[in-house]
Amino acid sequence: MTGLSYDPARTTEVVRAVLQEPYAMFIPALLPIAKLLLASAAVLPFLGTRWSGRFVVGYYAAILLVISFLQNMAATEQFGFVWLIGNTVVQLIVAFFCLVDVLAGSTTLHRDSLQRRRLWLLVPITLALLMPYSIDAGHVVASVETVLWNEAGVTYCMITPVVLGVLLLFPSGVDRRALAVASFVGLIFGVINMAVWFVSSPQDWWMRVLHIPLVVTAGLGLIDSRYRPAVVNPNLAAAPTSR
């Protein structure tokens, strides 16, 4: 939805205009806080925190409820107010499945279930979390300030690989339903975004690199979900039955 009419052939430009200055970036002081919360969610399972599974999935659901709107809305100079409604709807669907997972207590992340052969996932997780990307005079630059103050904590394509990567590192307690939905949607967004950045700004190759973590973790998550059974809440399973 746009405030001003436009040629459908410019749809890629509309999407890019929204993603460059979404409402999610209107309060810069909140960006490092959002990144810190995301980092905290990623670290908790490694610390053996009891409710880390619920916290990781719950935080993902909560932040999606916010950014599904704020990251997909912008007041652009060329097209007026723009709302990428399709993006919002799809991301809200992912949030719904995650909320169901949290309420059911399906996903539990135990430190003992860490898959050491998957520690390579720390590379895409770290890349997405840091998101070392900024443009200065038409050139890509990376600095400490960029890493601390960028929008990774409020950007779907950076938040999702962090969450999926953590779930895939502790797979034995992960419920396949939320994993499958989040991975399927993430893979679609990852592939489309890489194509969009290639078409609209082929010289900006670094932004395509920063979407590789999303494609990799979502692809692995989709494969992993096919072979993972639905998890039954152990507390419910252990509850005595009435006679």
Side-chain angles (χ1 to χ4, degrees), residues 21-146:
E21 295 186 7
Y23 286 157
M25 295 173 58
F26 266 26
I27 308 179
L30 294 180
L31 299 182
I33 297 175
K35 177 172 284 197
L36 179 60
L37 288 173
L38 178 60
S40 300
V43 169
L44 281 180
F46 294 92
L47 301 179
T49 306
R50 182 180 178 185
W51 298 105
S52 59
R54 277 187 168 178
F55 187 86
V56 171
V57 179
Y59 178 74
Y60 186 48
I63 196 67
L64 281 182
L65 290 176
V66 176
I67 67 171
S68 62
F69 292 97
L70 297 185
Q71 197 201 349
N72 294 304
M73 293 179 176
T76 68
E77 184 176 343
Q78 289 181 296
F79 309 102
F81 169 75
V82 181
W83 179 12
L84 305 178
I85 298 177
N87 287 7
T88 297
V89 171
V90 173
Q91 290 169 13
L92 286 177
I93 291 174
V94 178
F96 170 78
F97 274 89
C98 290
L99 285 174
V100 171
D101 185 289
V102 172
L103 293 175
S106 301
T107 293
T108 55
L109 306 179
H110 300 289
R111 184 168 56 182
D112 295 340
S113 66
L114 172 64
Q115 295 291 309
R116 298 186 182 280
R117 60 188 176 85
R118 290 186 174 180
L119 285 176
W120 60 268
L121 284 168
L122 291 175
V123 175
I125 288 174
T126 303
L127 183 60
L129 181 61
L130 297 181
M131 192 186 171
Y133 170 86
S134 182
I135 294 291
D136 183 15
H139 299 285
V140 177
V141 297
S143 64
V144 174
E145 183 179 1
T146 299

Side-chain angles (χ1 to χ4, degrees), residues 166-231:
V166 170
L167 296 180
L168 292 169
L169 281 169
F170 302 87
S172 63
V174 177
D175 185 72
R176 71 179 180 192
R177 290 161 293 196
L179 178 62
V181 173
S183 298
F184 178 71
V185 173
L187 187 60
I188 292 176
F189 271 99
V191 172
I192 291 178
N193 271 279
M194 290 185 74
V196 166
W197 283 100
F198 179 80
V199 172
S200 64
S201 186
Q203 74 279 4
D204 196 7
W205 59 271
W206 186 240
M207 182 52 77
R208 297 198 299 278
V209 171
L210 290 179
H211 279 82
I212 291 177
L214 177 57
V215 173
V216 170
T217 55
L220 179 58
L222 196 58
I223 294 172
D224 207 47
S225 65
R226 294 185 59 188
Y227 303 100
R228 191 157 303 287
V231 176

